[in-house]
Amino acid sequence: MEVLLRLLALLGLLLVGTGLRTVGILGANRTKRLNAAAYYVALPALVFVATYDRAISSIVSLELFVGVIVVLLGTAAVAWSVHRNRTSSARRSVAVVQSYHSNIGYLGVPLIAATFDDRVTAIASAILGFGSLVQVPLTVSILVLINGTSTRVRDQVWNLATNPVLLALLIGIVIGSFGIPVHGTIVVGLDALAALALPLALLCVGASLDLDLPDVDPFATGSVTVVKVAAMPVLAWLVFTLLAVDSDTFTAAVIMLAMPTAVSTYVFAGELGGDERFASLNVFVTTVASVASLFVLIALLG
């Protein structure tokens, strides 16, 4: 019951963000500032606190690395097959990438930090790191391929290299691996900032949505949702069972890969010829649907 109430509270915050946007309280400028606070402050603080006191060998394994890649590429292949016959390339490209591109940063790590222990959070932070290095290039490549648009590889590499969350992960891993002491006052301050990560992220996600109900394609959105919040977690469960990873790694991997579609896919769609309204709707629907799927997974994982 506690887990269900927590997930419903998260859904409530998401809807609050959408409502504040609708009534004009969270306009574009305020949403941008909230997003910056989450992206540059709260999320990096959370990732650093989760990793600064652990050696990388204690949280990352070859099985984890291989498993995440297999699940991402496997789900992308399933999505390509499911959506291959859509006549609109703009909609087809979005449907494919939103079926596997998970919200592992804004929702994944904060949700795990609020639900599981520190080691699971540390593993989730590592998944965020190398998972992003797979998801982002794959998403850009698919959008470019299907829509015939172009992007500068150098810009995408620079965006990844300067990502504050990934930088915080790298710094935390280096400090943890070399046993560099961190003053307690700093940790307490970062802990306080880290606690803001999930509520800020949910408000930003809700305020970023641009829904156009008359333009809804129930079958297309339903297909994306089923692949993302049902097929992908099942595949993750099977892959990591076969890899025989430890329970903390299993929990972190399955929950992270069960996250709803990332809001960043909406941004990528706008930049690279995708259907933006379709993308926005899918983010909303997969996020709402994930409340039920995550409840089931968390209950099964204890």
Side-chain angles (χ1 to χ4, degrees), residues 50-51 54 59 112 117-127 169:
T51 55
R54 300 175 186 275
I59 57 176
I112 284 179
D117 63 28
D118 292 344
R119 184 168 186 268
V120 178
T121 304
I123 296 170
S125 298
I127 294 172
L169 173 64

Side-chain angles (χ1 to χ4, degrees), residues 43-59:
L43 285 171
L46 174 59
V47 169
F48 178 83
V49 168
T51 55
Y52 82 97
D53 58 348
R54 300 175 186 275
I56 188 173
S57 59
S58 70
I59 57 176

